[in-house]
Amino acid sequence: MTEAPADRRPFWPRRSPAFLRARRAVRGVVGELLDDGPRTHHRRAPGVVVGLSGGADSLALTAACVAEAMAAGECGAVHAVVVDHGLQEGSAAVAEKAATTARGLGATAEIIRVDVPGGGDGAGEGPEAAARTARHAALHGAALRLGRPLLLAHTLDDQAETVLLGLARGAGATALSGMDPDRTWDDGVRVVRPLLGLRRADTEAVCDELGLEPWHDPHNADPRFARVRARATALPMLEELLGPGIAENLARTADLLRADARALDALADDALRTADELDVGDVVTLPDAVRTRVLKNWAEANGSAPLAAAHVTALDKLVGDHRGRGPVALPSAETPGHPGSRLVAHRKGGTLAVSRGFTAPPRSRSEPRSDPK
């Protein structure tokens, strides 16, 4: 970790309205975190970790956090973490430039290099999702190691794209709630997204005012990715056809649904009193939105991998109209010592239970196939 430079003079011009908006966006959370550092099971440390890619959004966030830390007399309290996936030619140079820029602003910085499973040569969302998972794991690990909260630079545009993609998939309220602006994970790491009220144009204007040269990720212009198509085509078309304010309205929808989803999740937690057998009589009378949450949480607490909507629907039918219905197969989380195992949910009188079975051996070449070519 490189020390911040000793020069503490403001690095921003006197007139910088976009940068002022960014500073106001982070002021509350940075001030709170510097006054009363985050508590984890490891230790308590003042300051914040910022996820920095070198793009306009994360550069604006880093600069705003440094400025607010300087104003609070806590220079060096901002630590930028740059994750290098190694998926693109020259990625090491991009990461080094981002880290150097952060240090020049007054932050400390480090580069974490990660391996992305499957590489980056696939089509569609696969490589993008794998890279995102690896990046988030590295950033989360750094925040946990340092005992600091993690700040991410997602903007209102990112939130709108997330909600639009969720609508296209037919997602439920939890997914349509979008990205949580402030969440603390079970291990104590707090993840904050203070720029969700700003537009991408705001962060680009911040970089212009500060003379920063952001990196433009070529993946952000690749139409193979659904998010790029939503950003470059779908949202502008909706604005043209339905009028302005689509992105803001989608982000507001996420805020409203997030409040509803939290209330329903709390009711489901209260209703789920056991992680073993589930009393059908207690569950069947619950409102639909609460009952399906109870069934999903119960199955996952009993070893299931995250359930899709089809699994939850099948469990719900097993509760409400089970006559003639057999057990429901559930996706099994990896269980050491149980190769080839699978989970099934079934009724035992007035209760639901989960049992572990084993998959049938592979069909031999001589056996006929049931699915015609």
Side-chain angles (χ1 to χ4, degrees):
M1 189 184 302
T2 303
E3 292 297 326
D7 188 355
R8 307 301 189 212
R9 292 174 298 177
F11 54 81
W12 56 93
R14 179 172 298 180
R15 176 167 174 76
S16 48
F19 187 49
L20 180 60
R21 288 195 293 274
R23 289 187 61 181
R24 286 172 174 166
V26 308
R27 181 167 296 163
V29 65
V30 171
E32 171 200 345
L33 295 171
L34 293 179
D35 289 341
D36 185 15
R39 292 169 177 81
T40 71
H41 66 278
H42 281 290
R43 63 191 180 96
R44 177 176 179 267
V48 297
V49 171
V50 177
L52 176 61
S53 68
D57 299 343
S58 59
L59 281 176
L61 175 62
T62 302
C65 289
V66 170
E68 290 305 302
M70 290 173 62
E74 293 285 352
C75 297
V78 179
H79 182 61
V81 176
V82 186
V83 179
D84 178 13
H85 307 98
L87 296 181
Q88 300 173 15
E89 185 177 354
S91 64
V94 170
E96 187 57 50
K97 180 180 178 181
T100 299
T101 300
R103 295 180 187 120
L105 291 170
T108 58
E110 68 174 304
I111 298 172
I112 300 177
R113 291 178 173 82
V114 299
D115 294 324
V116 177
D121 55 353
E125 295 288 355
E128 181 189 51
R132 183 169 56 249
T133 298
R135 179 172 66 253
H136 287 181
L139 293 173
H140 190 103
L144 181 63
R145 166 170 50 87
L146 295 172
R148 297 182 178 187
L150 172 63
L151 272 58
L152 300 177
H154 298 106
T155 65
L156 185 146
D157 296 87
D158 296 310
Q159 187 76 297
E161 293 158 13
T162 298
V163 176
L164 182 60
L165 291 171
L167 287 169
R169 294 194 303 268
T174 300
L176 295 180
S177 299
M179 294 174 285
D180 200 323
D182 193 341
R183 174 180 179 180
T184 300
W185 292 80
D186 291 341
D187 58 8
V189 173
R190 182 179 175 189
V191 179
V192 187
R193 296 177 172 87
L195 300 188
L196 284 179
L198 298 185
R199 301 297 303 268
R200 192 168 290 126
D202 293 322
T203 63
E204 292 170 349
V206 168
C207 292
D208 287 341
E209 291 175 356
L210 301 183
L212 301 176
E213 184 181 351
W215 173 60
H216 299 285
D217 186 349
H219 283 172
N220 289 337
D222 190 337
R224 292 181 304 162
F225 301 125
R227 183 174 288 274
V228 174
R229 297 194 297 273
R231 176 182 307 157
T233 304
L235 278 170
M237 183 179 295
L238 288 173
E239 294 267 358
E240 180 181 348
L241 295 176
L242 302 179
I246 296 297
E248 290 87 350
N249 290 341
L250 287 170
R252 183 164 57 251
T253 295
D255 291 338
L256 295 171
L257 284 174
R258 191 178 308 112
D260 291 349
R262 284 174 174 168
L264 292 169
D265 288 341
L267 291 173
D269 288 342
D270 289 341
L272 183 58
R273 299 184 180 91
T274 177
D276 194 5
E277 295 183 352
L278 195 63
D279 191 297
V280 172
D282 291 340
V283 176
V284 72
T285 59
L286 295 172
D288 292 354
V290 178
R291 185 177 65 253
T292 53
R293 280 171 165 79
V294 168
L295 292 170
K296 182 177 187 297
N297 294 345
W298 168 77
E300 292 174 3
N302 279 277
S304 170
L307 298 188
H311 299 115
V312 178
T313 299
L315 285 176
D316 200 27
K317 290 180 178 178
L318 193 60
V319 167
D321 182 16
H322 67 285
R323 289 171 296 180
R325 297 188 185 278
V328 174
L330 302 175
S332 176
E334 289 295 330
T335 305
H338 293 279
S341 63
R342 63 186 178 90
L343 291 179
V344 292
H346 54 90
R347 286 210 39 166
K348 295 197 312 181
T351 62
L352 278 188
V354 169
S355 61
R356 186 173 294 276
F358 293 89
T359 56
R363 190 186 302 272
S364 69
R365 290 178 180 269
S366 61
E367 295 179 36
R369 295 178 59 92
S370 58
D371 50 330
K373 286 286 186 182

